[in-house]
Amino acid sequence: MTVKVTVTGAAGQIGYALLFRIASGQLLGAETPVSLSLLEITPALKAAEGTAMELDDCAFPLLQGIEITDDPNVAFDGTNVALLVGARPRTAGMERGDLLSANGGIFGPQGRAINDHAADDVRVLVVGNPANTNALIARSHAPDVPADRFTAMTRLDHNRALSQLAAKLQVPVTEIRKLSIWGNHSPTMYPDLYHAEVGGKIAAEQVDGEWLRDTFIPTVAKRGAAIIEARGASSAASAANAAIDHVHTWVHGTPSGDWTSAAVVSDGSYGVPEGLISSFPVTSTGGHWEIVQGLAIDAFSRERIDLSVRELLDERDAVQALGLI
Ligand code: NAX
């Protein structure tokens, strides 16, 4: 059966890096035909049409159709996978309240459209920043969709942490297991090496504490800014890659003996207030995320997790005060 995948912000740079990989089968597998729905704002429809022409020119065997629209009700009609990439970026002089309001104006109606029109098995990944809070807004407008279908992306932070650790220990990334990103997708997120294993041994015990605190954590946290500085544009292909990884893992599962990171609706685990969309170590089985339970959290990790969760609470309170959720 053909799976409908909706990509918002389809004419943007992440959209451009993402669509071809979805159409080639990397999102859902080489056996699954896909149809694409490209949602854009009206002025960007022409650019989306250009991307669609290029998709046509690839003659992807799995690609069954492409729809381009500026109407969320059309874009999400019958959709099975919704990748919410388009968002309102922060511009000079913009206050946080303005940013949250502008994004509320995008993610509220999109959540409502998903609620009213998406397929029963819809899975939603929010990439557009502030991703966790945008996901919270979308979710609150979709009361008929099970809450656990709304997720936000911290897989790019996860992959960045994997790569930094592998380089430090001079091991292939495949040697690393059980890395976790906790909290918000923002510079406060916490990449946890106290449960990560390299060659079966705890990663934090194989690096010195100073490197972990003063190099590793800030490098992962500020990687987005470093990319902008070097490339003159924000992460695009790596963000698209992480979105592919997130959905692929969600659908196909995590390997046994390992987990990954995703921002999912908290059930209160690890003291993260219920209902917040926060990153956790997660496994995926049978198409459902589960938060890894029973991890001992040391004082250093506790402090870092609490800091990031406090930021999420502040964002939630702000969108609540603005009437966006
Ligand atoms: P671009 O500015 O290149 O593209 C965004 C696109 O979204 C534009 O084409 C715009 O027309 C469209 N858009 C805006 N409002 C829309 C709406 N209401 N409906 C449909 N489309 C709409 O940004 P890009 O580099 O592609 O980044 C997209 C988002 O990803 C940004 O919010 C960015 O901050 C976020 N990121 C999130 C990451 C994560 O790890 N969660 C990492 C990468 C990236 O920074």
Side-chain angles (χ1 to χ4, degrees):
M1 206 188 73
T2 299
V3 173
K4 178 168 174 176
V5 181
T6 302
V7 177
T8 78
Q13 50 154 6
I14 294 176
Y16 194 74
L18 187 55
L19 290 162
F20 297 85
R21 296 191 58 186
I22 299 170
S24 72
Q26 292 178 56
L27 187 78
L28 298 166
E31 310 299 319
T32 308
V34 289
S35 72
L36 285 169
S37 182
L38 278 48
L39 179 67
E40 259 297 348
I41 51 172
T42 316
L45 285 175
K46 184 142 186 272
E49 276 165 24
T51 304
M53 287 161 72
E54 283 205 72
L55 283 161
D56 282 341
D57 293 351
C58 294
F60 286 118
L62 290 173
L63 185 57
Q64 305 300 301
I66 310 173
E67 159 186 272
I68 305 163
T69 179
D70 56 3
D71 181 350
N73 294 322
V74 173
F76 294 117
D77 188 30
T79 202
N80 307 102
V81 179
L83 304 175
L84 310 191
V85 180
R88 175 68 164 83
R90 190 189 285 260
T91 38
M94 203 175 189
E95 298 295 333
R96 187 174 72 159
D98 302 333
L99 178 76
L100 294 172
S101 285
N103 279 296
I106 296 173
F107 288 86
Q110 289 184 0
R112 171 57 59 190
I114 289 168
N115 188 72
D116 294 350
H117 301 288
D120 287 346
D121 68 349
V122 67
R123 291 181 168 87
V124 183
L125 169 63
V126 177
V127 175
N129 281 319
N132 301 51
T133 297
N134 287 340
L136 187 71
I137 294 170
R139 205 210 108 196
S140 79
H141 287 78
D144 304 330
V145 177
D148 65 358
R149 306 293 182 72
F150 283 86
T151 64
M153 190 168 93
T154 51
R155 188 64 170 264
L156 180 54
D157 308 295
H158 180 96
N159 287 343
R160 285 167 172 167
L162 275 179
S163 165
Q164 292 297 322
L165 181 64
K168 171 71 175 172
L169 294 176
Q170 300 197 309
V171 296
V173 287
T174 47
E175 287 274 303
I176 304 173
R177 303 252 182 288
K178 300 184 178 175
L179 192 95
S180 339
I181 303 291
W182 297 84
N184 198 3
H185 168 68
S186 87
T188 65
M189 57 90 216
Y190 172 55
D192 178 359
L193 297 189
Y194 289 91
H195 300 100
E197 295 172 5
V198 181
K201 288 187 289 187
I202 294 297
E205 290 167 8
Q206 300 180 56
V207 296
D208 64 80
E210 201 178 301
W211 179 83
L212 194 161
R213 253 190 336 272
D214 301 337
T215 304
F216 173 71
I217 295 176
T219 301
V220 176
K222 295 180 193 156
R223 187 70 169 178
I227 302 280
I228 293 174
E229 170 72 23
R231 245 184 116 236
S234 57
S235 319
S238 55
N241 179 68
I244 298 273
D245 283 352
H246 178 111
V247 174
H248 192 275
T249 304
W250 196 350
V251 172
H252 295 281
T254 34
S256 74
D258 201 3
W259 64 61
T260 188
S261 306
V264 297
V265 177
S266 177
D267 58 359
S269 293
Y270 301 100
V272 179
E274 210 176 321
L276 276 189
I277 297 188
S278 185
S279 189
F280 288 97
V282 288
T283 54
S284 164
T285 322
H288 296 281
W289 293 117
E290 272 176 46
I291 297 171
V292 175
Q293 295 298 325
L295 300 177
I297 308 293
D298 63 290
F300 175 76
S301 302
R302 185 74 262 167
E303 196 182 310
R304 297 287 174 143
I305 294 169
D306 287 350
L307 187 81
S308 195
V309 168
R310 206 167 312 131
E311 184 180 58
L312 281 174
L313 276 173
D314 285 349
E315 288 181 15
R316 186 196 65 185
D317 291 349
V319 293
Q320 219 155 29
L322 290 163
L324 299 173
I325 59 171

